[in-house]
């Protein structure tokens, strides 16, 4: 039987990825929408999650595509109503609220899937398999994009809990922590916060796995093409995972990757987790971000203008 899913928050990622994936994946279907502003044709639509849950006890699962701030209350409503839950990344605005959700889901025997879409990128499994046989020397992450192109008008990313440049940067950390065998720890961080904003526009991190150094540069001030790349130096050569995890090359030779869409993979996984009565909640990437805020040196940089001068 197909899993009926209620979608909450019809913003950029819901429209670009969740709606098409829900069409593609067998065994799941979109059954209702909760949105403050939007409706979809031929679909029951509600102004908020509580109205949806009350009106449609037949909907067994909810997918939350709202910003991380405020997601906890929505998520708790879903679990208390006895429905399975899939969360967009990051799974919350704090680590402790995600842990509380995990406990609540476990206590009720419900599936909670804290998704990390970049881990489902086409070449990530290739990178993990190759790295398993390597002696690592160093890792360098460069994650640069134009915030005006990728987050136009999104106020929540600049507000506390919105992560700022860690909103894309956490995707790199989700891949990093999925492909390395050993834990990653944060050593230091430098955060550049525009005057008048609450979250960083750029961040550089120093991390380690064992004794191996890992550097990361996250920057939203890129005005050219985006760069979403992780470079691994090993005793045998250099491998590069780029295009956000979609392309893997060893010493410049591109390796054939899986032909799959990130979000179709996520919904197939959610369906399977529900069928097996399992949960998948990994807070590791969010914990590294929290550590960067805990120990990071903050410097104020020039104000960010949504529309550039000149
Ligand atoms: P967005 O375009 O701002 O959409 C978020 C939607 O959530 C809004 O359209 C709104 O939908 C709803 N919402 C509820 N409360 C809100 C509030 N207080 N402020 C703003 N919106 C509120 O954001 P998004 O880019 O889709 O990102 C949503 C989540 O997906 C984030 O956690 C983000 O990290 C993740 N994500 C985004 C991308 C991307 O490329 N954009 C990629 C992967 C993951 P209604 O008007 O329908 O209520």
């Amino acid at each position: 039987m197909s899993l009926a899913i209620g979608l909450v928050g019809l913003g950029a990622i819901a429209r670009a990825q969740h709606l098409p994936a829900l069409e593609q994946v067998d065994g799941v279907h979109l059954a209702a929408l909760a949105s403050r502003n939007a409706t979809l044709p031929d679909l029951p639509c509600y102004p908020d999650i509580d109205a949806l849950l009350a009106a449609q006890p037949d909907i067994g699962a909810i997918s939350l595509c709202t910003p991380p701030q405020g997601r906890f209350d929505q998520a708790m409503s879903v679990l208390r109503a006895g429905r399975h839950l899939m969360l967009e990344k990051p799974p919350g605005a704090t680590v402790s609220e995600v842990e509380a959700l995990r406990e609540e889901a476990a206590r009720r025997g419900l599936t909670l899937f804290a998704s990390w879409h970049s881990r489902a990128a086409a070449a990530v499994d290739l990178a993990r398999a190759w790295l398993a046989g390597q002696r690592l020397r160093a890792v360098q992450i460069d994650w640069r994009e134009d915030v005006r192109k990728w987050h136009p008008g999104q106020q929540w990313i600049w507000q506390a809990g919105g992560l700022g440049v860690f909103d894309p940067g956490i995707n790199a950390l989700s891949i990093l922590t999925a492909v390395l065998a050993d834990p990653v720890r944060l050593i230091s961080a430098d955060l550049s916060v525009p005057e008048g904003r609450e979250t960083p526009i750029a961040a550089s991190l120093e991390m380690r796995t064992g004794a191996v150094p890992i550097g990361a540069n996250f920057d939203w001030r890129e005005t050219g093409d985006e760069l979403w790349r992780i470079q691994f130096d090993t005793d045998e050569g250099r491998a590069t995972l780029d295009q956000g995890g979609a392309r893997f090359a060893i010493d410049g030779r591109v390796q054939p990757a899986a032909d799959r869409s990130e979000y179709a993979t996520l919904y197939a996984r959610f369906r399977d987790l529900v069928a097996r009565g399992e949960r998948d909640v990994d807070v590791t990437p969010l914990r590294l971000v929290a550590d960067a805020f805990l120990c990071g040196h903050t410097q104020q940089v020039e104000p960010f203008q949504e529309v550039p001068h000149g």
Side-chain angles (χ1 to χ4, degrees), residues 8-18 33-38 47 64-71 74 88-91 117 150-157 159 162-163 167-168 170-171 262-263:
V8 183
L10 197 60
I13 199 62
R15 288 183 189 276
Q17 299 293 343
H18 290 253
L33 172 72
S35 166
R36 305 169 310 169
N37 302 296
L64 285 188
C65 304
T66 49
Q69 307 102 318
R71 198 115 48 74
Q74 297 173 323
E88 250 301 350
K89 51 69 41 170
H117 68 87
W150 289 96
H151 301 275
Q154 291 183 346
Q155 291 310 310
W156 59 266
I157 56 169
Q159 293 161 359
L163 270 63
D167 178 77
I170 202 170
N171 297 333
E262 292 180 9
Y263 280 81

Side-chain angles (χ1 to χ4, degrees), residues 82-107:
R83 321 296 171 88
H84 305 293
L85 178 60
M86 172 164 149
L87 297 171
E88 250 301 350
K89 51 69 41 170
T94 69
V95 178
S96 51
E97 69 182 29
V98 183
E99 286 170 343
L101 291 175
R102 177 166 53 194
E103 279 172 30
E104 186 70 17
R107 210 169 58 75

